[in-house]
Amino acid sequence: MRINGEITPQEEEEKGEAKTVRLSIQQPRKLVVVGYALTSKKKKSFLQPKLEVLARNKGILFVAIDLNRPLSDQGPFDVILHKLSGKDWCEVIEDYQQKHLEAIVLDPPDAIQHLHNRQSMLQDVADLDLSDCQGKVCVPRQMVVNKDPSSIPREVTKAGLKLPLVAKPLVVDGTAKSHELFLAYDEFSLSELEPPLVLQEFVNHGGVLFKIYVVGEAIKVVRRFSLPNISKCELAKVAGVFRFPRVSSAASSADDVDLDPSVGELPPRPLLERLARELRHRLGLRLFNIDMIREHGTQDVFYVIDINYFPGYGKMPDYEHTFTDFLLGLVQSKYKKRPAK
Ligand SMILES: Nc1ncnc2c1ncn2[C@@H]1O[C@H](COP(=O)(O)OP(=O)(O)OP(=O)(O)O)[C@@H](O)[C@H]1O
Ligand SMILES: O=P(O)(O)O[C@H]1[C@H](OP(=O)(O)O)[C@@H](OP(=O)(O)O)[C@@H](O)[C@@H](O)[C@@H]1OP(=O)(O)O
Ligand SMILES: [Mg+2]
Ligand SMILES: [Mg+2]
């Protein structure tokens, strides 16, 4: 049987052309409409042409949500992707979800909120027991300082925290200030800093960090350079608090570098799978990344030091395929769950 537009090999030869034109007959597909509400920075890094083109070919359409118009007047959306903060926005999203039960909101604002605080973000990791997964996952010991910086030296001693410490703003709200971190070599200098803060024990890890990107059930790991080890000798000689820049940004990729295997070897896959699965369920989130380091001198003791909602996926290898497959999978599983009429 000849399908419209198909050319037989014989005809092709006759025409002297090597190109084959095949038009397959496809069922008309329903478009998956994904509404997005992202900052312009995020839109630029995430919604790259390679993602939009592949998505369009797979029947996914990204539509910008107009924040100046009621959300219910827009759409309908199959999926809503968002990374905007503020109480008003949370209410808009929650209200939309209540009125459109069929829409998939990535992710629920109250679950995202959990990652906006550096203490609550690590709580679920601390509760995990992954001892049967070829490794151990811990969180560094830390304490919160809410006010009165003058009490810090006493509180640090009381809590038994070991120096050096990393001082991080307690709240992560997407501002540059919430990523301003300090390394403290002595507890007295910490009084110079502005609470609310988290003081976290620094863990030597050989200067390499693993960034684990989670997109639903998919996981991708990349290596980034990080802070070098701090020796006891250095600690004894140095005093003060020092601000350090964003050491493990995308520009610090360590993926194509010859690393000492004891430092650069990726964490075991079963451990990552379990960690990601547990956190997906416990956090109630599908889009996040985990910053993990290996304690220096060990093979299988890992620390989670940070979890970020909707991170820079544009830097994840092959993200356009992973993300479009994820979106299609979400919509398909929603239809599967629906009772047949
Ligand atoms: N406890 C720790 N021990 C050793 N190094 C640490 C520790 N905490 C942070 N770091 C280093 O500092 C960097 C920044 O810390 P962290 O990831 O917590 O900050 P952030 O501002 O949330 O970063 P991100 O840009 O990933 O959101 C880490 O990537 C790592 O290199
Ligand atoms: O700016 P990038 O693309 O690098 O993405 C970063 C992202 O910024 P963006 O959401 O404004 O894009 C950050 O979010 P906020 O905490 O500041 O909200 C945080 O998630 C970082 O961890 C991401 O870097 P990554 O961990 O992926 O390297
Ligand atoms: Mg981080
Ligand atoms: Mg972070």
Side-chain angles (χ1 to χ4, degrees), residues 118 168 179 209 211 246 248 289 291 305-308:
R118 293 191 192 266
K168 309 182 183 187
H179 295 291
L209 169 134
K211 225 166 234 293
R246 292 188 82 167
S248 309
N289 75 3
D291 286 350
I305 54 171
D306 183 28
I307 307 179
N308 302 293

Side-chain angles (χ1 to χ4, degrees), residues 25 39 76 104 113 133 143 155 247 254 268 277 289 304 307 317 328 332:
I25 300 172
T39 59
I104 301 167
Q113 199 64 34
C133 292
M143 64 175 258
E155 295 294 330
V247 275
R277 195 176 70 216
N289 75 3
V304 171
I307 307 179
L328 290 181
Q332 273 159 13

